[in-house]
């Protein structure tokens, strides 16, 4: 997630202590993926850097987000492979899940990655790391524990935390969030999941595959930002695996029920009561801005986060905000992208600006649902003259060989075949979406993908096949047949 150690033998510039105040070129608040990327990049480019973190180095991504969730998903995939092997002629059986060892696996992965994000590593790079709560005491000064820091530029990279919806009674019962669910050492008997976004979907499928009963509740529809054709297929997969879905229904009360919890749901069909042993709240995120003293620094903030311009500058031009706290898309890779924008602005004075035209996101279910650019609905709303290409995964030979044919590729095109967006639902779709991001970023037309040579047999051939279908009506038309017939008479 961060830059490599410098190969040069030149010592890094260090912040200077004068009159009890630490002076630096750059002061970063928050050591999550975005803050670490800025710190590593800036110090290796010659800036003196102070990095402040009040909790865990690596932030949400390493400790309670991307890393543990993907480790848990890997365990769930292994369990499901045993359960699903019969279709390959291999004796299948219900896996025996030792959840304490699953917990060890998850935290072993965190421990393996943690040294890369550690205080020791960043101190070795030349960063001054302070482990304390940071708060602005003025427009150009921060207080962190006993330290006063003044810097030419500041970066707020404090991330976000789970948002808790205002459900009556929710505050009176035990519930889990992404910050606590990976601490479980015993498998839940029946996990209730509140929220049908990526986190809710991923955790619902993972715990179901690890042997828990799972009920998911969503007030609208699951994954509302994704293409409906892909969501329909994924929904059917979740239901087939035994997850109970309640969509388009409101949670009106939460209460204790024996040793577990109960949710009261209300929808068009009336009231429904669902009980479970555990409750996971995965109903969105809220930015971490409390306690930062933003008013003292003249930094404008809303419930969505710190208000920034396209250069990620706050209303105090000395202060940048990146990642989840900046009120934009909430993805780890966006925090890393923001880090590059800030480095160009803060260190080199270049007017680099954010551009989300090729923004990718992935829901790491099985199959994975990956998207980049505009959806069909968003493209039409933006006024584009839209055409679409739809390619089912069942037409892919590798998918047939692996008995993984439930999926598709959907490509959104503007005038003259310009690529505006793409969705892939397939195993490892997150590894396949990048080519479409490049096409959007470089303003390519569909012919660039159609003409590439894709290795056979791979799932990624679905992209080339989808692109090639753009030309099918003209290539195999009556006009083409007449032209070929004519040419065959004259060609030697």
């Amino acid at each position: 997630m961060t830059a490599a150690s410098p190969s040069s033998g030149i010592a890094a510039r260090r912040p200077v202590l004068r009159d009890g105040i630490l002076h630096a070129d750059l002061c970063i608040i928050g050591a999550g993926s975005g803050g670490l990327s800025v710190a590593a990049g800036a110090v290796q480019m010659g800036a003196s850097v102070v990095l402040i973190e009040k909790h865990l180095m690596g932030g949400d991504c390493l400790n309670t987000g991307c890393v543990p969730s993907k480790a848990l998903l890997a365990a769930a995939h292994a369990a499901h492979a045993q359960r699903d092997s019969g279709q390959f002629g291999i004796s299948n059986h219900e896996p025996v899940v030792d959840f304490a060892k699953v917990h060890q696996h998850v935290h072993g992965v965190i421990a393996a990655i943690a040294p890369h994000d550690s205080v020791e590593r960043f101190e070795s790079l030349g960063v001054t790391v302070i482990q304390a709560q940071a708060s602005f005491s003025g427009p150009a000064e921060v207080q962190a524990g006993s330290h006063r820091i003044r810097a030419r530029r500041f970066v707020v990279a404090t991330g976000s935390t789970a948002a808790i919806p205002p459900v009556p009674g929710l505050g009176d019962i035990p519930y889990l969030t992404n910050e606590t669910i990976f601490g479980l050492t015993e498998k839940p008997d029946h996990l209730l999941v509140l929220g049908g976004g990526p986190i809710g979907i991923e955790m619902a499928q993972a715990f179901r595959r690890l042997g828990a009963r799972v009920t998911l509740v969503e007030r609208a529809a699951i994954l509302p930002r994704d293409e409906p054709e892909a969501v329909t297929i994924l929904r059917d997969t979740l239901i087939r695996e035994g997850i109970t879905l309640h969509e388009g229904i409101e949670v009106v009360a939460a209460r204790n029920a024996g040793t577990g919890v109960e949710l009261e749901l209300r929808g068009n069909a009336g009231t429904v009561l669902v009980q479970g042993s555990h409750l996971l709240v995965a109903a969105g995120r809220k930015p971490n801005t409390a306690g930062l003293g933003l008013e003292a620094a003249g930094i404008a903030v809303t419930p969505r986060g710190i208000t920034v311009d396209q250069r990620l500058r706050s209303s105090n031009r000395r202060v940048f905000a990146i990642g989840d706290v900046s009120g934009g898309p909430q993805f780890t890779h966006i925090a890393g992208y923001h880090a590059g924008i800030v480095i160009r602005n803060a260190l080199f004075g270049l007017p680099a600006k954010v551009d989300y035209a090729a923004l990718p996101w992935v829901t790491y279910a099985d199959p994975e649902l990956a998207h980049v650019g505009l959806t069909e609905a968003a493209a039409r709303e933006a006024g584009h003259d839209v055409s679409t290409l739809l390619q089912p995964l069942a037409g892919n030979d590798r998918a047939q060989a692996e008995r993984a044919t439930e999926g598709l590729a959907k490509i959104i095109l503007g005038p003259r075949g310009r690529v505006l967006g793409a969705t892939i639902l397939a195993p490892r779709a997150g590894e396949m979406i990048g080519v479409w991001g490049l096409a959007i970023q470089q303003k390519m037309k569909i012919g660039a993908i159609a003409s590439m040579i894709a290795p056979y047999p791979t799932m990624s051939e679905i992209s080339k096949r989808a692109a090639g279908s753009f030309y099918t009506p003209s290539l195999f038309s009556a006009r083409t047949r007449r032209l070929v017939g004519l040419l065959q008479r004259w060609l030697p």
Side-chain angles (χ1 to χ4, degrees):
M1 289 186 290
T2 56
S5 300
S7 57
S8 169
I10 300 174
R13 291 178 62 232
R14 295 278 186 172
V16 177
L17 185 63
R18 290 197 307 268
D19 301 323
I21 300 173
L22 201 56
H23 294 263
D25 295 322
L26 198 60
C27 176
I28 303 160
I29 304 172
S33 58
L36 293 178
S37 295
V38 175
V43 76
Q44 292 178 95
M45 291 178 182
S48 58
V49 178
V50 173
L51 175 63
I52 306 170
E53 173 54 57
K54 70 175 182 179
H55 192 37
L56 297 173
M57 295 287 287
D60 179 83
C61 180
L62 173 63
N63 298 288
T64 61
C66 316
V67 171
S69 66
K70 302 313 165 281
L72 187 73
L73 288 170
H77 181 79
H80 187 68
Q82 293 185 22
R83 191 180 289 117
D84 201 41
S85 60
Q87 61 182 330
F88 298 103
I90 298 170
S91 178
N92 61 313
H93 61 275
E94 187 63 24
V96 178
V97 177
D98 185 334
F99 207 82
K101 289 186 177 179
V102 172
H103 174 272
Q104 291 174 14
H105 155 67
V106 169
H107 288 269
V109 173
I110 295 172
I113 298 173
H116 188 72
D117 294 351
S118 66
V119 172
E120 292 77 15
R121 175 172 180 262
F122 277 80
E123 289 278 8
S124 74
L125 290 176
V127 177
T128 297
V129 180
I130 298 172
Q131 294 181 285
Q133 167 70 47
S135 181
F136 283 93
S137 52
E141 184 173 296
V142 160
Q143 185 79 33
S146 61
H147 302 273
R148 292 172 64 191
I149 303 101
R150 288 183 184 171
R152 294 174 57 82
R153 300 287 185 271
F154 294 84
V155 179
V156 180
T158 50
S160 64
T161 192
I164 308 303
V167 174
L170 186 57
D172 300 323
I173 66 173
Y175 59 81
L176 301 162
T177 68
N178 71 294
E179 296 175 5
T180 54
I181 195 166
F182 301 111
L184 293 177
T185 56
E186 294 184 1
K187 180 186 68 180
D189 175 58
H190 187 175
L191 180 66
L192 306 182
V193 180
L194 182 54
I199 295 174
I201 295 297
E202 290 174 11
M203 292 299 95
Q205 189 178 44
F207 277 91
R208 178 61 190 143
R209 288 183 165 191
L210 290 169
R213 290 180 292 158
V214 176
T215 298
L216 186 146
V217 179
E218 168 55 50
R219 64 182 297 178
I222 64 170
L223 302 174
R225 299 176 58 201
D226 285 287
E227 295 286 6
E229 297 95 332
V231 174
T232 295
I233 296 172
L234 183 54
R235 178 187 289 108
D236 291 343
T237 298
L238 299 175
I239 294 172
R240 188 167 59 248
E241 291 187 10
I243 296 171
T244 300
L245 295 181
H246 292 280
E247 298 180 78
I249 197 164
E250 193 82 18
V251 182
V252 297
R255 59 182 72 94
N256 289 306
T259 59
V261 295
E262 180 178 80
L263 298 180
E264 182 179 337
L265 314 179
R266 190 168 299 159
N268 294 333
T271 299
V272 178
L273 299 179
V274 294
Q275 294 184 352
S277 60
H278 296 71
L279 172 63
L280 169 64
V281 178
R285 310 281 297 172
K286 65 177 182 178
N288 291 325
T289 58
L292 291 175
L294 300 178
E295 301 83 0
I299 299 172
V301 62
T302 72
R304 289 179 52 84
I306 293 174
T307 302
V308 296
D309 63 13
Q310 286 186 299
R311 295 172 63 179
L312 300 174
R313 299 175 301 182
S314 72
S315 51
N316 177 342
R317 290 297 186 259
R318 287 178 175 267
V319 181
F320 296 82
I322 66 174
D324 288 6
V325 78
S326 67
Q330 295 180 332
F331 303 106
T332 294
H333 48 279
I334 286 297
Y337 169 64
H338 283 176
I341 299 291
V342 165
I343 285 175
R344 279 175 277 173
N345 275 277
L347 300 190
F348 298 100
L350 299 173
K353 298 179 180 180
V354 295
D355 180 1
Y356 298 132
L359 167 64
W361 66 77
V362 184
T363 297
Y364 294 93
D366 183 13
E368 289 181 359
L369 177 51
H371 176 82
V372 66
L374 297 176
T375 61
E376 180 181 358
R380 294 191 187 283
E381 186 177 343
H384 292 288
D385 182 11
V386 173
S387 61
T388 64
L389 306 173
L390 197 65
Q391 184 68 38
L393 190 60
N396 180 275
D397 292 358
R398 182 64 177 271
Q400 288 287 351
E402 297 190 4
R403 300 294 189 193
T405 56
E406 296 295 314
L408 56 78
K410 180 178 180 180
I411 314 304
I412 311 304
L413 303 177
R416 296 178 296 281
R418 179 179 166 186
V419 181
L420 301 177
T423 288
I424 300 176
L425 179 70
R428 302 290 184 181
E431 313 289 348
M432 297 154 57
I433 201 68
V435 65
W436 293 105
L438 180 65
I440 295 167
Q441 190 174 50
Q442 298 301 315
K443 297 180 172 56
M444 294 179 182
K445 294 182 179 180
I446 194 67
I449 308 299
S451 62
M452 74 178 185
I453 302 174
Y456 175 88
T458 60
M459 296 276 187
S460 62
E461 283 185 288
I462 194 173
S463 291
K464 177 179 173 64
R465 193 163 208 168
S469 69
F470 177 75
Y471 298 99
T472 299
S474 58
L475 280 176
F476 302 123
S477 65
R479 180 182 178 185
T480 301
R481 289 196 294 271
R482 287 194 298 270
L483 177 61
V484 169
L486 180 63
L487 288 174
Q488 296 312 298
R489 298 177 187 175
W490 296 99
L491 289 174

